Amino acid sequence: MVLEIVSGKKNRGFEHPDHELNLLGHAWKLWNEGRPMELMDTLMENVPASEMLKCIQVGLLCVQKRPEERPSISSALFMLDSENASLPQPKQPGFYTERSFIDIDSSSSMNKRNVSTGLTVTVLQGR
């Protein structure tokens, strides 16, 4: 959720012209390329860069692949609130996917089809 706030975009339905990664994958890619500030929403330009970097780093720590490596909520809040907390380097997120498309019929107006990534989503509805 922190990454959604920083970027001003939702993970679900996120699109980027250069790749098919979701928001988490995009944030991880930018982090590894040393360009995490490119994730920042332009509306956040008045927020100090150090605060934005801290939010991105904590956001990535919270979605690491191994649950035991993720900080607790209280630890994450402490990291966000602290002026000089020493933050560990995030490891690969566990929830990022790359959407892939295949060409069905190039003469058709709809020539891309979403291919399943093996992820199952269950939607609960109240009565």
Side-chain angles (χ1 to χ4, degrees):
M1 186 172 236
V2 173
L3 296 172
E4 289 184 346
I5 293 169
V6 167
S7 68
K9 297 179 178 14
K10 292 188 176 210
N11 188 44
R12 186 181 183 139
F14 174 81
E15 292 184 15
H16 192 276
D18 297 336
H19 56 71
E20 297 296 327
L21 295 169
N22 65 8
L23 179 62
L24 297 181
H26 179 62
W28 180 243
K29 177 179 174 11
L30 291 174
W31 181 266
N32 283 323
E33 292 174 352
R35 305 179 299 139
M37 294 302 288
E38 290 180 26
L39 186 66
M40 186 175 78
D41 187 337
T42 56
L43 295 175
M44 299 256 191
E45 61 189 21
N46 293 331
V47 177
S50 60
E51 287 296 311
M52 283 290 97
L53 285 172
K54 180 171 47 172
C55 289
I56 293 168
Q57 189 169 357
V58 171
L60 287 170
L61 287 169
C62 291
V63 295
Q64 293 178 109
K65 188 172 191 175
R66 296 175 51 120
E68 62 273 8
E69 293 177 338
R70 298 177 200 152
S72 65
I73 293 294
S74 59
S75 294
L77 289 173
F78 174 78
M79 288 183 233
L80 289 170
D81 191 42
S82 178
E83 297 266 336
N84 52 8
S86 176
L87 303 180
Q89 288 299 308
K91 297 177 183 166
Q92 180 176 347
F95 304 108
Y96 79 91
T97 59
E98 184 166 10
R99 295 175 297 276
S100 46
F101 297 94
I102 57 172
D103 194 4
I104 298 172
D105 177 6
S106 58
S107 65
S108 162
S109 62
M110 193 172 141
N111 61 357
K112 289 187 178 180
R113 179 176 61 98
N114 216 352
V115 176
S116 173
T117 60
L119 181 67
T120 302
V121 177
T122 303
V123 178
L124 300 176
Q125 295 180 339
R127 296 181 193 198

